[in-house]
Amino acid sequence: MSEPAVVARLTEDLTAGMKTGDLEDFYRDLHRHPELSFQEHRTAARLAGRLRAAGYEVTEGAARTGVVGVLANGDGPVVWLRADMDALPVREATGLDHASTVDGVMHACGHDLHVTWLVGAAEALAGARETWSGTLVVVGQPAEEDGGGAGAMVAAGVHERFPRPDVVFGQHVAPGLAGFTSHTSGLVMSASDDIDVVVHGVGGHGSRPESTVDPVVTAAYVVTRLQSVISREVAAKEAAVLTVGQFHAGTKNNVIPAEARLALNLRTQSTQTRERLLAAVRRVVEGECLAAGCPVPPEVTVLPGYPNTVNDTALDREIAAVHREVLGAETVLDFGPVMGSEDFSLLAPQGVPYDYWFVTSTPADVWEAAPGEDLPGKLDNVPSNHSPLFAPDLSVLVPGVRTLVSAALSRLT
Ligand code: ZN
Ligand code: ZN
């Protein structure tokens, strides 16, 4: 770990000549052409092209659309920098000149900015190889939003096929007045589990419920009873969310269907709470089906989810100190853990430290105009990630490159 002041000076040198206009054009091009999870072919090709031109040894197609660029530059640690690349099925409503040209698909989570930051950092570091030593691995990850792209890359053997990381860094754009960086030591993002439930009843005529076991009524009790799981089974100091996002049953007014399907999402911040709540969901579903007299036990399927993101405490403090030196002490804050989830942590093998931080990007005029007296009040009233109005301010382009460059240099010098 190098002195923050030394890293800051070097970062300044490396990024002073950065072609900001060129990176803005690169960003706008990605924003115009968003691609859904595991379909990031054009985005991956753009990223791979820039990395190749900068001298990286580039592999495409790692877990379908993933990109890995390796720059071996002498003895030293292996640093991984990661950006996710996928867009969302959201119809853009920003009205921007560079708005999406793909109907119903939008970079509403800012992953286009993440890729641009990664390109800027990769080029700056490649352009000053004499100032650092070690191996830089640049990862363009597919399918963060839907499909578990990080897990797919690990399953595709990225830890064996490429230099294994000693440290992994990632960052995400977030709502909040543009120009702040949020560092949280330890838990920073929650675990997310999707749970599918099938309630099996007995179907029949709507006029003769006595000859059926109505799965609609049973599933409705399940939904209602699940609402008390968080309030009655989670300690007040713990945070957790359980949402029933889908409820499907029936085809016609006068038919009692044979089954009902629910789709749940659970967010938790500790292993104990996660296990307790998964058990509670199972218990509530089975209990309600038993009470209703369902002829067959229900199905409760926990789908592969995202784990907690837990920053290495010492590493996060070191990188926060570097970022204070690079961007100004007053711009580095700690928002604390959020209920959002990420698969970023899977890219760090067991025991390898990682650090993940947020860069705020709400344009100053949008922030000023938003109703609200204080920061939390305003935060509720500006477009957030996944909103059709989400539009990061491009003033954060250079700071986001500097955060990545300085994090890498802190280990590579
Ligand atoms: Zn997202
Ligand atoms: Zn995202």
Side-chain angles (χ1 to χ4, degrees), residues 109-120:
C109 204
H111 298 184
D112 46 356
L113 189 55
H114 302 176
V115 175
T116 308
W117 280 335
L118 190 68
V119 164

Side-chain angles (χ1 to χ4, degrees), residues 84 109 111 114 144-145 172 342 385-386:
D84 39 13
C109 204
H111 298 184
H114 302 176
E144 186 280 327
E145 296 289 358
H172 206 300
E342 256 287 347
N385 306 65
H386 295 204

